[in-house]
Amino acid sequence: MIFGRKKFLGAVGDFEEAVRAQDALGAERAFAQLQRTSGNAGDGEYAAAGPRLGALLPELPHGPRATVAVVVGACVERGADAQACAPGIFAGAREAFAAAADFCARWAETGGGELPDLDDELTDEIIERAGYESAVGWFTLPQWEMASVAMLNAPAVRRTAEDKAELLALVERVAEASGDEFKCLTYALRVLDDEPLVVLHRESGTGYALRMSGIGDNFQLHTLLAGVLIGGTHVPGEAPPEREIAVCRDAEGQVPTTGAFNLVGADGCWIFNEGNPTDIGVVDGVRLLVLDPPPYRRGWPAGRFFPGMHGDLVLERVLGAEEAAGWFGKVAPAKGLTRA
């Protein structure tokens, strides 16, 4: 085991040396050795390797760059500093999505038709039609999505990365042109941290000031709301068991659960569990959510959309009657099954 660990970091060093010497064959051999020995490496070795490999990304050709980015993501999942690794990953992801947007445009300009599947092979015909760099950008998107999400699992990265909005805009541009959602990366880029949330329980006329962080989708938010408000005896209903709440915070796995509310926006439109907390509209600078009785019984596996991301929902205070009434004055009646 110790010998394997030494071989892993040795392969990282050989790869660094070959890349900086622009020795393509040596880099290929060292990277193959790196992959062969990675299974015997410990967390400390991954932690050391992540920033070193991340620093090499700008020096790599487009295709191999995406493959190394996935390895950097794996290093972060094993303890490497996500903040140190994220700049190279996000720069590569922006470049790949920009190239993919160009690929979609060129594809449309040269006859259109269904875009190549992301799992297909890159062929000479595709390159001739859309250009090499654009095509590589398109075909490496799954790898950049995987690596970027690994970075965004870290709260410090989500809070400090200055280029998230630019990357999100590029992802949405490619999604619109291609019809592929890139849902994991889109949702990860939209995750809110330390975000104030005012929740109104329409039946009881009560209101609550909460703060949410690291919540990937509204299924997770729904279960946490039930845990905080019903479990805290603030509103009536059947509270989810502790295990269901735990898997929505930081415990592993999934547990079947049943919905306690219908989530509604201030405009009266339903907010669907399949969406994410950014679907909740902002009123007077704060996201405002209304809880109504569920129109039908609905269950799902409680858990986290991003298993590597810890979620949190904290009740900061119960609103006074006058303050709650003021917020209720800003919401419309529920409109039924209507998308916002």
Side-chain angles (χ1 to χ4, degrees):
M1 181 71 74
I2 294 176
F3 178 66
R5 291 180 183 178
K6 288 182 179 178
K7 287 176 66 177
F8 173 69
L9 284 181
V12 171
D14 291 344
F15 184 64
E16 288 174 310
E17 183 177 344
V19 168
R20 288 171 177 149
Q22 298 185 348
D23 177 2
L25 183 58
E28 184 177 341
R29 290 173 176 168
F31 187 72
Q33 177 70 1
L34 185 155
Q35 291 180 304
R36 283 193 295 269
T37 58
S38 62
N40 289 328
D43 290 348
E45 285 72 25
Y46 276 101
R52 291 168 61 181
L53 293 173
L56 288 177
L57 291 174
E59 303 180 49
L60 296 172
H62 294 287
R65 187 185 305 169
T67 303
V68 176
V70 173
V71 177
V72 175
C75 289
V76 167
E77 290 173 348
R78 292 285 296 271
D81 184 348
Q83 282 187 284
C85 298
I89 295 293
F90 289 156
R94 289 196 307 274
E95 186 173 334
F97 274 94
D102 183 61
F103 178 83
C104 294
R106 293 189 184 194
W107 197 263
E109 291 167 0
T110 55
E114 188 172 349
L115 287 161
D117 191 281
L118 288 166
D119 292 327
D120 289 346
E121 290 187 5
L122 177 57
T123 64
D124 290 340
E125 181 182 354
I126 293 172
I127 294 171
E128 183 177 351
R129 183 170 171 181
Y132 176 75
E133 290 190 7
S134 296
V136 170
W138 170 255
F139 281 103
T140 58
L141 292 185
Q143 294 163 294
W144 287 111
E145 180 174 34
M146 187 185 310
S148 297
V149 170
M151 303 302 113
L152 291 163
N153 279 333
V157 170
R158 298 196 303 270
R159 292 186 176 107
T160 60
E162 298 178 351
D163 43 15
K164 285 197 309 176
E166 181 184 353
L167 178 54
L168 178 59
L170 285 167
V171 174
E172 291 175 336
R173 179 181 167 193
V174 175
E176 182 178 358
S178 67
D180 193 314
E181 288 186 273
F182 302 102
K183 186 174 180 179
C184 284
L185 182 51
T186 300
Y187 274 34
L189 289 165
R190 289 178 177 168
V191 168
L192 302 169
D193 289 286
D194 298 321
E195 181 77 6
L197 174 67
V198 169
V199 175
L200 305 177
H201 187 256
R202 202 186 311 258
E203 280 191 310
S204 65
T206 55
Y208 307 89
L210 302 102
R211 192 169 293 271
M212 56 184 169
S213 295
I215 296 175
D217 65 11
N218 293 334
F219 285 112
Q220 183 183 2
L221 174 63
H222 193 140
T223 302
L224 290 173
L225 281 167
V228 170
L229 297 181
I230 300 177
T233 67
H234 298 287
V235 301
E238 183 177 349
E242 283 298 320
R243 176 62 181 165
E244 294 176 21
I245 300 168
V247 296
C248 290
R249 291 188 181 276
D250 56 12
E252 294 183 1
Q254 293 183 326
V255 184
T257 192
T258 302
F261 311 112
N262 196 42
L263 310 183
V264 179
D267 59 359
C269 296
W270 288 16
I271 294 174
F272 293 90
N273 285 331
E274 292 83 357
N276 61 78
T278 61
D279 296 335
I280 303 169
V282 175
V283 176
D284 292 348
V286 180
R287 296 188 187 275
L288 181 59
L289 178 66
V290 181
L291 305 181
D292 282 335
Y296 51 86
R297 185 176 178 85
R298 185 180 186 190
W300 60 84
R304 301 191 301 285
F305 186 84
F306 299 105
M309 187 182 299
H310 293 177
D312 197 20
L313 182 69
V314 176
L315 174 63
E316 296 192 325
R317 62 189 179 89
V318 178
L319 304 185
E322 184 176 349
E323 185 179 5
W327 282 110
F328 272 108
K330 303 176 190 293
V331 304
K335 295 179 180 179
L337 186 55
T338 305
R339 289 193 179 274

